[in-house]
């Protein structure tokens, strides 16, 4: 997904480089998704349980739509949008059913914030490709999910700070962008500026706290790793 972001950065400087990065990113992400599917199928049944991280693996292709739209490859961008929306909806539905059946361990609750990222990315891509109705719809969904997560903040962070708080970072940044690209809608602009200010304060703080745990030797035991 970082390669897709590099492609977006390269667009103003070199169209050929941006296209090359976009294609390489798509190839690598496809390989990554296939490897994950292979591992999941060969593992224990409990490994097939949906997690918010599935959005990164199976919906992460939507990140490629942003540089594609900037490169005037509207067909590719819209194709990725159409293909990824049902995948994200399926993961949302499966995750909701799972939450109804079982209690999520408090330590894993911050990962739920990752459910926000697809809605925000869909709003961004829809706005960039002229699908204004979908852009508005997903912007509303982004705002609704963000509000829900803010209300549930004490529940999400019940165990105190952990490296999993990094799951808040990208969804917050994406949400700010999703709301700010909705032209002509004051409520989205105001909300987007608020989220942008919050993200600007929260994301560096999380980075500093994670690095502090790493430097002091606390990161390994907290993340259940042998070393960090």
């Amino acid at each position: 997904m970082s390669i897709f972001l590099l492609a977006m950065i390269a667009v103003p400087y070199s169209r050929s480089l941006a296209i090359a990065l976009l294609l390489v990113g798509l190839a690598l992400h496809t390989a990554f998704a296939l490897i994950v599917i292979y591992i999941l199928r060969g593992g224990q049944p409990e490994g097939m349980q949906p997690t918010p991280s599935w959005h990164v693996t199976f919906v992460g292709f939507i990140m490629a739509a942003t540089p594609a739209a900037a490169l005037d490859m509207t067909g590719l961008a819209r194709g990725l949008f159409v293909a990824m929306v049902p995948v994200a909806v399926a993961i949302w539905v499966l995750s909701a059913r799972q939450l109804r059946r079982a209690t999520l361990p408090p330590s894993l609750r911050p990962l739920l914030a990752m459910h926000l990222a697809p809605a925000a990315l869909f709003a961004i891509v829809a706005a960039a490709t002229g699908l204004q109705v979908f852009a508005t719809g997903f912007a509303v969904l982004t705002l609704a999910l963000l509000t829900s997560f803010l209300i549930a903040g004490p529940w999400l962070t019940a165990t105190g700070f952990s490296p999993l708080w990094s799951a808040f970072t990208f969804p917050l940044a994406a949400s700010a962008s999703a709301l700010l690209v909705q032209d002509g809608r004051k409520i989205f602009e105001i909300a987007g500026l608020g989220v942008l200010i919050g993200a600007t304060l929260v994301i560096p703080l999380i980075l500093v706290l994670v690095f502090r745990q790493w430097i002091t030797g606390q990161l390994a035991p907290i993340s259940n790793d042998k070393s960090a």
Side-chain angles (χ1 to χ4, degrees):
M1 292 173 66
S2 297
I3 297 177
F4 299 142
L5 292 176
L6 286 174
M8 185 65 190
I9 294 171
V11 170
Y13 304 102
S14 172
R15 178 180 174 84
S16 58
L17 176 60
I19 293 175
L21 287 169
L22 174 60
L23 295 177
V24 169
L26 284 171
L28 290 176
H29 201 88
T30 299
F32 169 63
L34 291 174
I35 290 170
V36 171
I37 292 172
Y38 176 78
I39 293 173
L40 289 175
R41 291 186 62 185
Q44 298 298 320
E46 56 268 21
M48 290 295 292
Q49 297 300 315
T51 71
S53 64
W54 279 18
H55 286 300
V56 176
T57 304
F58 303 117
V59 189
F61 294 95
I62 193 62
M63 289 286 293
T66 305
L71 290 164
D72 295 323
M73 302 168 69
T74 306
L76 175 59
R78 289 185 175 179
L80 288 168
F81 176 83
V82 171
M84 292 299 104
V85 168
V87 179
V89 171
I91 295 173
W92 283 328
V93 171
L94 290 172
S95 297
R97 290 176 60 186
Q98 184 185 33
L99 281 174
R100 289 182 60 185
R101 295 175 181 175
T103 302
L104 187 68
S107 60
L108 297 179
R109 290 175 187 171
L111 292 177
L112 291 175
M114 296 175 70
H115 286 302
L116 176 61
L121 290 171
F122 291 149
I124 294 170
V125 172
T129 54
L131 301 174
Q132 196 54 56
V133 173
F134 290 101
T136 302
F138 280 111
V140 170
L141 178 59
T142 298
L143 194 54
L145 288 173
L146 183 60
T147 302
S148 300
F149 286 135
L150 288 174
I151 294 173
W155 180 78
L156 290 173
T157 59
T159 58
F161 180 78
S162 78
L164 292 184
W165 279 33
S166 58
F168 298 144
T169 57
F170 179 75
L172 276 175
S175 296
S177 297
L179 296 172
L180 289 172
V181 297
Q182 306 303 316
D183 294 334
R185 292 167 176 81
K186 200 67 177 180
I187 184 172
F188 290 139
E189 181 181 349
I190 295 172
L193 287 173
V195 177
L196 179 61
I197 293 171
T200 303
L201 296 173
V202 170
I203 293 174
L205 177 61
I206 292 174
L207 177 65
V208 169
L209 291 174
V210 170
F211 269 106
R212 188 174 70 177
Q213 288 185 338
W214 177 42
I215 292 171
T216 58
Q218 301 175 40
L219 188 59
I222 289 176
S223 57
N224 293 320
D225 288 325
K226 292 182 179 179
S227 62

